[in-house]
């Protein structure tokens, strides 16, 4: 079911139609109107925008009586990292070494800890136990940058290596990731979007945003385990192909609708 939080939806919309670039100013009234098309009231939309400013993800800019929003450097980095993960999902056949992260971030830095957990899941990490995370890729560069950005490097350790053959590591994997639920999500994605059509710019915009927002959840759920360890989800290949066909095909009409609403009135 498509029930995104309004702040997440704003970032999805901007990432899809402005891109992870700083400096592009988008009229606030247009963003409010676009959120309204997904069922959010004007009040909820403006609260979401204000909270994104407080999180240093948007910057509020005034031009006379008009208010615009631009993507901050922090948001640009997050969106660029998201694009790399989303658009490579299911297309990298060489996992390489695994990454293990331990952390003991103190309660005084609980906000940083929560942000770390969210970003780790987006990089394909799964939780082994409290403070211990595992990913079937060499993620040392991304993790080092993330720990430094959150100022928690002193509370974490990272190792890379290969799983031992004994005991059976494949039997351990389902304790870290819910592979049955992941397979069901891929199946549901193909069923929902396989025959979806857009009749006009507004419906193309709505469909493209739903497509991206739904697909990007796989970055949080799919660790892309090596095929020689665990068979890939049955519908993953179909979902990846569907996304990479439909997302660019919907872009021209969707962009037209976005531009039409976010162009400030004369």
């Amino acid at each position: 079911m498509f029930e995104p939080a309004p702040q997440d939806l704003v970032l999805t919309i901007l990432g899809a139609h402005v891109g992870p670039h700083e400096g592009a100013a988008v009229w606030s009234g247009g963003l409010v109107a676009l959120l309204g098309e997904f069922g959010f009231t004007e009040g909820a939309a403006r609260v979401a925008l204000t909270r994104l400013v407080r999180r240093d993800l948007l910057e509020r800019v005034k031009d006379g009586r008009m208010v615009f929003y631009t993507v901050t450097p922090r948001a640009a980095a997050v969106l660029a990292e998201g694009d790399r993960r989303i658009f490579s999902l299911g297309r990298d056949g060489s996992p390489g070494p695994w990454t293990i992260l331990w952390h003991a971030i103190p309660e005084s830095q609980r906000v940083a800890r929560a942000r770390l957990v969210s970003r780790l899941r987006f990089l394909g990490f799964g939780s082994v136990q409290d403070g211990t995370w595992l990913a079937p890729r060499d993620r040392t560069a991304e993790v080092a940058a993330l720990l430094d950005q959150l100022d928690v490097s002193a509370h974490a350790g990272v190792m890379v290596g290969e799983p031992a053959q004994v005991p059976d590591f494949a039997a351990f994997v389902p304790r870290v990731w819910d592979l049955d639920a992941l397979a069901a999500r891929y199946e549901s994605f193909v069923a929902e979007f396989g025959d979806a059509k857009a009749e006009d710019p507004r419906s193309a915009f709505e469909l493209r945003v739903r497509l991206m927002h739904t697909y990007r959840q796989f970055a949080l759920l799919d660790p892309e385990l090596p095929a020689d360890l665990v068979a890939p989800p049955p519908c993953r290949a179909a979902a990846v192909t569907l996304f990479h066909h439909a997302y660019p095909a919907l872009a021209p009409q969707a962009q037209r609708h976005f531009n039409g609403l976010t162009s400030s009135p004369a």
Side-chain angles (χ1 to χ4, degrees), residues 2 17 19 34 50 63 67 87 117 146 168 194 206 210-211 221 232 237 240 242 247:
F2 184 73
H17 300 92
L34 290 172
T50 298
D63 182 4
V67 175
F87 288 97
V117 167
L146 179 57
D168 182 10
E206 186 267 342
R210 284 199 302 111
L211 182 78
L221 301 170
V240 170
L242 170 60
Y247 189 70

Side-chain angles (χ1 to χ4, degrees), residues 173-231:
V173 164
R175 294 173 53 188
V176 183
W177 295 280
D178 190 338
L179 302 181
D180 290 337
L182 175 63
R185 289 284 289 268
Y186 273 120
E187 184 177 353
S188 176
F189 179 86
V190 173
E192 180 178 356
F193 294 103
D195 296 320
K197 298 290 190 298
E199 303 299 332
D200 51 53
R202 176 171 176 168
S203 63
F205 174 82
E206 186 267 342
L207 177 57
R208 191 168 187 257
V209 170
R210 284 199 302 111
L211 182 78
M212 168 57 87
H213 201 82
T214 305
Y215 187 79
R216 74 188 301 275
Q217 302 308 309
F218 293 119
L220 297 166
L221 301 170
D222 190 348
E224 298 184 272
L225 295 162
D228 59 355
L229 180 67
V230 177

